Amino acid sequence: MECTAAEPLARIEARIAQACRIAARDRNAVTLIAISKTHPAEGIAPLIEAGQGVFGENRVAEAQGKWPALRERHPGIELHLVGQLQSNKAEEAVALFDAIHSLDRPSLVSALAKAMDKAGRRPPCFVQVNIGAEEQKGGCPIPQLPALLEQAREAHLPLAGLMCVPPFDIEPAPFFALLDKLARDNGLTGEAASLSMGMSGDFETAIMLGATHIRIGTALFGGRS
Ligand SMILES: *Cc1c(COP(=O)(O)O)cnc(C)c1O
């Protein structure tokens, strides 16, 4: 088990390092989030033992089932939520996750602000943008982004930056470049300037275009059933 996890991690690490070199970016400017959704704890532990410290899940209930025990055995793991979040799960999400990548609507701003005040815990939030204007996809529509960011600032939510999942059947580079432009146009600087973009099939392109957080599942864990 151990060697089968270390090997894909080393391969991805080499590709990240190469993309950073080409883009003249510091390797430390890019965080690799290992997306462990659908994979059981037995499949995750070897990757932790191989040195991976940041993980992502897309469903609150699934993460609640797997991570408390894993974290007990491996303290210091950072856990990110990358999937859509229902407002009635905001308290559970704030308790479990160290970052939330799917803030995408006004009702969720209110729910997260309330949950954070109550918990005294403030995980940074990425605003997810529906970058390809796809009807079925989560994310804030681009025209509504300025108002949502304004609301998040007023609610004192800790803003991390922007996140996107481009349409899957088209070259992603223009969408990554657009997310970067939206961050700049909306004055997202300093701690709010992160860009969560890039997955197994396109993370090198995302790094070239300024990604600070790449979310990789399949290339680390193999396929999901
Ligand atoms: C599943 C998922 C990923 C990882 O996708 P892969 O193609 O398996 O690397 C990244 N981001 C989000 C939001 C996901 O749901």
Side-chain angles (χ1 to χ4, degrees):
M1 266 288 207
E2 273 78 5
C3 48
T4 61
E7 208 179 293
L9 183 60
R11 271 201 303 268
I12 294 295
E13 187 49 54
R15 289 172 59 188
I16 295 170
Q18 171 74 353
C20 285
R21 263 194 304 277
I22 293 169
R25 297 185 60 201
D26 190 323
R27 167 64 188 92
N28 295 324
V30 180
T31 299
L32 167 61
I33 307 173
I35 305 297
S36 49
K37 65 187 184 198
T38 77
H39 297 286
E42 305 80 69
I44 299 170
L47 204 59
I48 299 174
E49 279 145 24
Q52 177 62 24
V54 185
F55 288 81
E57 292 281 344
N58 72 333
R59 293 174 61 222
V60 176
E62 182 184 341
Q64 282 174 323
K66 289 193 299 203
W67 280 97
L70 274 168
R71 275 173 150 168
E72 203 160 297
R73 269 184 285 136
H74 307 278
I77 295 290
E78 210 179 281
L79 191 60
H80 293 224
L81 177 66
V82 301
Q84 279 191 41
L85 178 59
Q86 293 172 291
S87 294
N88 63 7
K89 293 276 170 61
E91 274 190 34
E92 290 161 89
V94 164
L96 185 63
F97 292 98
D98 302 299
I100 292 170
H101 292 239
S102 48
L103 174 57
D104 64 355
R105 59 192 188 278
S107 58
L108 195 52
V109 170
S110 317
L112 282 171
K114 210 172 128 195
M116 287 185 195
D117 288 344
K118 194 168 160 194
R121 202 173 178 276
R122 312 189 74 75
C125 297
F126 293 80
V127 171
Q128 182 177 350
V129 180
N130 188 348
I131 203 76
E134 294 175 283
E135 226 163 70
Q136 74 287 6
K137 224 175 226 170
C140 173
I142 291 173
Q144 291 164 31
L145 181 61
L148 188 64
L149 286 169
E150 180 57 30
Q151 194 203 350
R153 289 184 182 113
E154 275 171 16
H156 303 293
L157 278 193
L159 276 179
L162 301 181
M163 177 273 208
C164 76
V165 182
F168 80 99
D169 53 353
I170 196 172
E171 164 60 41
F175 299 96
F176 294 151
L178 178 56
L179 195 72
D180 177 49
K181 176 172 162 39
L182 289 170
R184 282 182 282 117
D185 287 353
N186 284 281
L188 295 174
T189 55
E191 296 200 324
S194 295
L195 296 175
S196 169
M197 58 188 197
M199 319 201 313
S200 289
D202 54 22
F203 66 89
E204 284 126 324
T205 303
I207 289 171
M208 299 288 292
L209 291 163
T212 62
H213 293 72
I214 55 175
R215 311 178 308 265
I216 300 187
T218 310
L220 282 172
F221 290 97
R224 293 177 291 269
S225 42

